[in-house]
Amino acid sequence: MNISFPEFQAGSVWLAGAGPGDAKLLTLYAYHALQQANIIIHDALVSQDILALAPSQCRLESMGKRGGIKSPVQGEITARLAALAKQGHKVLRLKGGDPFVFGRGAEEAIPLIKQNIPVRIIPGISAGIAGSAYAGVPVSDGKLNQVISFVTGHDKSGQVPAVNWQALAQSSPVIVFYMPMKHLDKIQQELLSAGRHEDEPVCIVSNATTDQQKKLIGTLGDICKKLEKSDIKSPAILIVGPTVDLSSLLQGCFT
Ligand code: SAH
């Protein structure tokens, strides 16, 4: 393989996306970073299979935010990254999915850049894309949608985000929600009030791309009730829209 990677300099921080869980979805760039780093600060969503790829002499530290679980505030994470870089480490900050997709990547990178710490960003495959695919749901289909929206299910303060639900419902046939579980009932109500149909197909995928993956198919009208009866838990995404119907044909492509 003839790919030239940049040198991981001592005293720098590489902020990499690890994808949604399946180690096979790690990019070559992120894999290279894992081999070169001497300390990895990973968030709660990075799978054990991926952490196991780090060389044995590499130190692993868990530091990440997770809904419902006591987690370090963002400033503590940045301070830790800065301190390790200043000690001369090759610091890999490894995050689930893509660092810039609801991942606070810029919030971690910018304070480091302001302290003149060299930072490199390595994109990853986001859960909304690979997670949908592994459930057999294409986020777009030539005949069904020309727009895809990725929406977070809660904002920084834990509330349903102040999106323009009318505009979202009318303009985006396929909507993928990250962190949908806490306010699933409100998301359902907002979409129905904004004109989406209760028979519209929806899919919840939890622990997507891992061997714990679970999928729940329903309609916009019945998904909350179905979820109550299931054992599906976070991390999960919710996909709303006509491409969900294709999963019956495509799901076998990922097992
Ligand atoms: N930066 C990440 C998203 C972080 S926000 C990315 O690009 O994927 C955390 C949310 O991502 C979770 O609450 C969930 O909605 C989603 N998520 C991450 N990994 C997931 C997985 N393996 N399966 C389902 N959802 C996942």
Side-chain angles (χ1 to χ4, degrees):
M1 200 163 35
N2 190 15
I3 303 174
S4 72
F5 291 103
E7 189 194 341
F8 202 150
Q9 284 166 352
S12 68
V13 177
W14 285 17
L15 185 57
D22 184 347
K24 298 189 288 300
L25 296 178
L26 204 60
T27 64
L28 292 173
Y29 201 172
Y31 181 76
H32 167 78
L34 267 161
Q35 302 311 306
Q36 300 298 314
N38 56 20
I39 180 151
I40 297 175
I41 311 289
H42 60 92
D43 77 16
L45 285 172
V46 177
S47 73
Q48 289 304 317
D49 287 354
I50 286 171
L51 296 175
L53 297 171
S56 54
Q57 70 277 14
C58 179
R59 200 160 96 210
L60 298 177
E61 258 180 47
S62 173
M63 232 183 167
K65 290 175 161 279
R66 198 65 204 279
I69 298 168
K70 194 174 172 339
S71 44
V73 288
Q74 197 62 52
E76 288 174 30
I77 300 174
T78 311
R80 180 80 183 129
L81 295 173
L84 289 166
K86 285 175 187 164
Q87 286 164 23
H89 289 288
K90 300 175 188 179
V91 185
L92 176 59
R93 172 65 171 144
L94 200 56
K95 297 175 78 80
D98 181 279
F100 283 170
V101 181
F102 304 128
R104 300 172 187 260
E107 284 169 69
E108 292 187 11
I110 290 169
L112 300 173
I113 294 163
K114 285 188 174 161
Q115 295 173 64
N116 294 320
I117 295 167
V119 176
R120 201 173 272 281
I121 310 282
I122 303 177
I125 303 182
S126 191
I129 294 178
S132 302
Y134 269 50
V137 180
V139 287
S140 79
D141 175 85
K143 291 200 191 78
L144 298 173
N145 65 310
Q146 276 71 51
V147 178
I148 312 158
S149 295
F150 296 102
V151 181
T152 174
H154 51 81
D155 64 16
K156 262 186 160 176
S157 58
Q159 305 303 310
V160 181
V163 297
N164 182 336
W165 291 95
Q166 290 286 337
L168 178 69
Q170 286 165 21
S171 64
S172 188
V174 174
I175 311 172
V176 182
F177 289 90
Y178 289 67
M179 297 166 271
M181 306 293 257
K182 188 171 169 198
H183 298 305
L184 190 65
D185 52 344
K186 295 214 179 86
I187 292 170
Q188 177 193 43
Q189 283 159 24
E190 293 284 8
L191 289 176
L192 289 172
S193 309
R196 298 292 283 249
H197 201 274
E198 61 179 13
D199 289 338
E200 186 164 354
V202 305
C203 177
I204 293 177
V205 198
S206 71
N207 288 302
T209 83
T210 73
D211 53 11
Q212 308 289 311
Q213 175 171 318
K214 285 192 180 147
K215 172 169 102 170
L216 182 69
I217 299 261
T219 63
L220 195 51
D222 71 12
I223 194 66
C224 287
K225 285 215 171 94
K226 276 195 164 173
L227 182 65
E228 267 172 34
K229 289 187 192 138
S230 80
D231 58 351
I232 289 196
K233 295 199 171 60
S234 290
I237 50 166
L238 165 74
I239 314 149
V240 178
T243 58
V244 169
D245 278 338
L246 300 177
S247 74
S248 56
L249 295 168
L250 293 170
Q251 61 186 355
C253 305
F254 298 91
T255 50

